[in-house]
């Protein structure tokens, strides 16, 4: 998989990809991630990528030309499955969408800034708009990092144990059950006895019950999806 991220703040985006699972995935060539500074695509002497809104109104708008230049240059090199725009009014990111995107070959992610982009960018270049939640961030970069993390960990081979992504919370619309490790007892706090029984079918049944109970208590909305 290849991900091209278009941003005015590449330095803000880079560090999540330089550590842990994302970095390992890149090092193992399971994913390629490239950052494109939008200012490299402007012809403006001041390298500006935004302007005042037509019709008046507070806040600057990202202009179409540098975005067009950047996306067109990328599309000349390869075919893209999706051109995603990170925006609070997009489709809310859920596990199902991350699963779907993890199967794509090439995707572009455009990070919004200021008030957002000229509507024509959305109308003519963008295939999908994604929000990471009902709150407004200062820009799309942190959202893009969240989206990339959710996608990249699902690529086969990225997680050591492939089943671990399948048993994450939200796969099957259930939250994950409680988990325990050593010590068996800590300051009087005990691990459920069943987990030492060696009875794998019973343990699995307990985990399923716990996952259901937790989901019912915390996120009953998931059970109706
Ligand atoms: N840009 C600003 N807020 C955002 C959000 N909630 N999700 C994605 N991109 C954003």
């Amino acid at each position: 998989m290849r991900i091209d991220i278009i941003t005015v703040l590449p330095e803000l985006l880079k560090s999540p990809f330089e550590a842990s699972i994302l970095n390992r995935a890149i090092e193992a060539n399971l994913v390629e991630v490239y950052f494109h500074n939008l200012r490299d695509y402007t012809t403006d002497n001041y390298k500006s990528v935004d302007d005042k809104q037509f019709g008046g109104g507070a806040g600057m708008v990202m202009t179409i030309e540098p975005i067009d230049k950047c996306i067109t240059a990328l599309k000349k090199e390869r075919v893209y499955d999706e051109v995603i725009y990170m925006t609070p009014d997009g489709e809310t990111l859920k596990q199902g969408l991350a699963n779907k995107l993890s199967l794509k070959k090439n995707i572009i992610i455009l990070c919004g800034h200021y008030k957002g982009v000229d509507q024509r960018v959305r109308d003519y270049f963008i295939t999908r708009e994604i929000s990471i939640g009902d709150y407004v961030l200062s820009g799309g970069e942190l959202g893009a990092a969240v989206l990339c993390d959710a996608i990249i960990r699902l690529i086969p081979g990225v997680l050591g144990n492939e089943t671990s992504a399948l048993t994450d919370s939200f796969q099957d619309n259930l939250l994950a059950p409680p988990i325990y490790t050593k010590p068996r007892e800590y300051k009087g706090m005990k691990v459920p006895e069943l987990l030492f029984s060696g009875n794998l079918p019973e343990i699995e049944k307990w985990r399923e019950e716990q996952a259901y109970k937790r989901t019912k208590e915390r996120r009953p909305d998931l059970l109706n999806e």
Side-chain angles (χ1 to χ4, degrees), residues 49 72 94 110 183 213 216 219:
V49 291
T72 303
K94 301 253 176 77
L110 171 64
K213 180 168 171 271
K216 200 161 169 230
R219 293 292 307 275

Side-chain angles (χ1 to χ4, degrees), residues 85-93 110-114 129-144:
Y85 173 50
M86 300 308 300
T87 175
D89 58 0
E91 172 186 1
T92 307
L93 178 61
L110 171 64
C111 302
H113 254 272
Y114 319 109
E129 302 189 333
I130 298 179
S131 161
I132 63 159
D134 289 346
Y135 39 81
V136 178
L137 303 167
S138 333
E141 283 73 16
L142 297 179

Side-chain angles (χ1 to χ4, degrees), residues 175-201:
L175 300 182
I179 50 173
Y180 298 90
T181 186
K182 287 177 190 158
R184 190 168 172 150
E185 184 172 341
Y186 183 73
K187 295 185 178 172
M189 294 178 272
K190 291 187 179 142
V191 173
E193 269 310 309
L194 175 69
L195 298 178
F196 307 106
S197 67
N199 187 339
L200 296 185

Side-chain angles (χ1 to χ4, degrees), residues 1-3 17 20-34 104-106 152 155-159:
M1 174 181 235
R2 174 181 170 122
I3 304 176
F17 297 89
S20 189
I21 290 176
L22 298 194
N23 181 250
R24 256 190 285 133
I26 292 167
E27 293 289 311
N29 289 322
L30 295 167
V31 63
E32 292 171 80
V33 182
Y34 297 93
K104 306 284 183 192
K105 194 158 179 288
N106 300 314
I152 292 170
I155 297 171
V158 170
L159 295 183

